[in-house]
Amino acid sequence: MFNLNRKFLLSTLANCLFFINFSSFFLLPLFLDNLDFQKYEIGILMGSFGISSIFLTPITSTLIDKYGKKLLGIIALLVMISTSLLFAFSESFYVFMILRIFQGASFSIFFNSSSALASDNLEESQRKRGLSIYYSSTIFPYFIGPYFGEYIIINFGYLYFFIFSAIFSILALIILYQVDDDEKNNMTKENINFNDFFKLVNDSNSKKLLITNFLSSTGFGVIMNFIAIFLKSKDLKAGIFFVIYSVTVTIFRLFLSDLFSEKNLFKKVLLMLALFSTSIFFMPLIDSILFIIIFSIIFSSTYALIYPFVSNLLVGPKSQSNSGRLFGALNATFGLGVHLMTFVFGYIIHIYDFNIGFRVASIFILLGTFLLYLKEK
């Protein structure tokens, strides 16, 4: 039976609340457009978050292991609260750029530290199930933040929207403060340094898992960023996809992860990744609501457990002293897949069309999966 210990539950709840704050800022372009910002300026400000989050990860994840997950998590929440509120008091592009960079750093620190806290407080036999539950806490915030945030913008204005966003990080701060920080680290602060991050990443086992994560996040990013405009071109709406995705992934992570044994788990992940990439190949065939439903179920069910299972394989039972950096590497490769490869395949879509772009992305992921499988054999 799965043991829902207090520290794990609090870390998971704090992460869920933080993600509501984070996801509500998907509505930031509405605020910027209201201030008459140009489209390219909005793009730069939105993209700067991901860039800072990715490239600061080697530093922030090392600080997490060096000075403690709870302490760095608290600092990250304070930064997120402050930056969320400060948007209401400026109209400057450069001020907004600084705020987005700090938000990216905050995300990098908090998500890595809360992931490490949750993982460190799981017994080895329950790590796979526990991480599946933990990552399910990131799903519904993508609905709650934008949905209720938009309602507040329409009815009360942007000042109350920014207050609304910050409240969730304030609640996360209160909850995280209740987590006992009693980690026992075998390494002294002096023994943890910046270069250790790259040594961990270059480990052969870590490398194959991070590449797998990069491939899955590439497919995730391409679909999530382009499905709405793709379906619009066919006079279809994307709302049903996002609903099915949220429900399916949550069900798989909460209830179905135990169906997969630890034996040959990585090969099972590669099979999921192969099916996931194949679903993307057939996405251009969508021409009706029925096809949206079928695609949504296949895409979501094959993707749902890849990230939790890769996390479980990457962060082993003796990784507590390195868990901040390992989760940092995991989340950095996820960010690279979502942001960098979305740009690459977005350019292919721009030059050719959606059909070519989606299928090239699918083949890219499938080839990478096949090479990983050959190396594993």
Side-chain angles (χ1 to χ4, degrees):
M1 183 177 178
F2 185 74
N3 177 26
L4 293 173
N5 68 76
R6 180 176 180 273
K7 295 178 186 178
F8 171 79
L9 281 174
L10 291 176
S11 300
T12 301
L13 180 57
N15 184 65
C16 180
L17 291 167
F18 175 81
F19 259 76
I20 296 175
N21 186 172
F22 157 70
S23 65
S24 67
F25 269 78
F26 289 143
L27 299 175
L28 184 62
L30 297 176
F31 173 67
L32 299 173
D33 184 64
N34 189 60
L35 294 176
D36 295 324
F37 277 66
Q38 299 296 315
K39 295 294 186 291
Y40 78 91
E41 293 176 310
I42 295 174
I44 290 171
L45 290 173
M46 295 305 290
S48 61
F49 174 96
I51 292 171
S52 67
S53 176
I54 293 167
F55 288 103
L56 288 173
T57 290
I59 299 172
T60 57
S61 60
T62 300
L63 293 174
I64 289 168
D65 284 334
K66 191 176 182 70
Y67 295 109
K69 289 121 187 172
K70 178 179 176 179
L71 174 62
L72 268 293
I74 288 173
I75 292 172
L77 287 170
L78 290 172
V79 171
M80 194 66 171
I81 293 165
S82 302
T83 53
S84 296
L85 294 173
L86 286 172
F87 271 96
F89 302 101
S90 177
E91 296 183 359
S92 166
F93 173 84
Y94 297 104
V95 171
F96 291 157
M97 173 70 79
I98 292 170
L99 293 178
R100 288 297 284 170
I101 290 172
F102 272 97
Q103 283 190 328
S106 171
F107 180 86
S108 175
I109 295 171
F110 183 81
F111 190 37
N112 294 333
S113 61
S114 65
S115 299
L117 276 173
S119 176
D120 291 350
N121 287 290
L122 288 169
E123 297 177 10
E124 178 56 24
S125 61
Q126 299 178 337
R127 191 179 302 275
K128 175 164 61 69
R129 172 81 185 282
L131 288 174
S132 297
I133 292 173
Y134 173 79
Y135 286 120
S136 70
S137 72
T138 67
I139 302 300
F140 278 100
Y142 283 102
F143 162 74
I144 296 171
Y147 181 84
F148 290 102
E150 185 177 40
Y151 175 84
I152 288 173
I153 289 171
I154 293 171
N155 291 280
F156 301 101
Y158 286 104
L159 172 61
Y160 289 96
F161 163 72
F162 292 122
I163 294 172
F164 160 82
S165 301
I167 284 172
F168 291 99
S169 282
I170 294 172
L171 293 173
L173 179 64
I174 295 170
I175 290 169
L176 188 65
Y177 191 76
Q178 306 302 313
V179 178
D180 298 327
D181 194 9
D182 57 357
E183 59 182 324
K184 292 179 173 59
N185 202 325
N186 294 325
M187 301 178 70
T188 64
K189 292 181 180 180
E190 290 75 16
N191 288 333
I192 298 178
N193 58 67
F194 176 74
N195 292 329
D196 290 336
F197 176 87
F198 297 99
K199 292 177 183 177
L200 290 169
V201 170
N202 284 322
D203 173 77
S204 58
N205 183 63
S206 298
K207 193 178 294 185
K208 73 178 184 182
L209 293 168
L210 294 174
I211 291 172
T212 302
N213 188 50
F214 170 76
L215 292 172
S216 68
S217 65
T218 295
F220 174 82
V222 168
I223 296 303
M224 288 298 182
N225 282 293
F226 292 113
I227 190 168
I229 192 170
F230 166 71
L231 293 178
K232 183 180 179 181
S233 70
K234 297 197 172 189
D235 295 322
L236 296 168
K237 295 181 179 180
I240 191 170
F241 166 80
F242 289 106
V243 171
I244 292 174
Y245 170 82
S246 299
V247 173
T248 303
V249 172
T250 301
I251 290 172
F252 267 74
R253 290 181 177 179
L254 287 179
F255 305 112
L256 302 180
S257 61
D258 274 348
L259 296 179
F260 298 86
S261 66
E262 295 282 350
K263 185 178 180 181
N264 295 323
L265 185 59
F266 182 62
K267 288 185 178 179
K268 294 171 186 175
V269 168
L270 292 180
L271 176 59
M272 294 175 192
L273 188 57
L275 294 172
F276 168 73
S277 62
T278 303
S279 72
I280 297 173
F281 186 87
F282 290 103
M283 182 179 168
L285 298 178
I286 294 175
D287 61 1
S288 67
I289 294 176
L290 176 61
F291 272 49
I292 295 175
I293 294 171
I294 294 171
F295 170 79
S296 302
I297 293 172
I298 296 173
F299 174 87
S300 305
S301 59
T302 53
Y303 173 77
L305 296 176
I306 293 176
Y307 196 84
F309 284 3
V310 169
S311 302
N312 173 60
L313 291 167
L314 182 66
V315 186
K318 298 180 180 179
S319 301
Q320 185 168 343
S321 62
N322 300 323
S323 57
R325 283 162 290 175
L326 288 172
F327 277 109
L330 190 73
N331 294 326
T333 51
F334 182 87
L336 283 171
V338 169
H339 299 290
L340 175 63
M341 299 310 290
T342 293
F343 171 79
V344 171
F345 291 113
Y347 186 74
I348 293 173
I349 289 170
H350 173 72
I351 297 297
Y352 298 100
D353 57 22
F354 283 113
N355 292 2
I356 298 295
F358 288 139
R359 284 175 173 159
V360 170
S362 171
I363 293 169
F364 171 78
I365 299 166
L366 197 58
L367 283 175
T369 305
F370 181 66
L371 291 174
L372 286 169
Y373 179 76
L374 288 179
K375 192 169 183 180
E376 189 67 10
K377 289 184 69 176

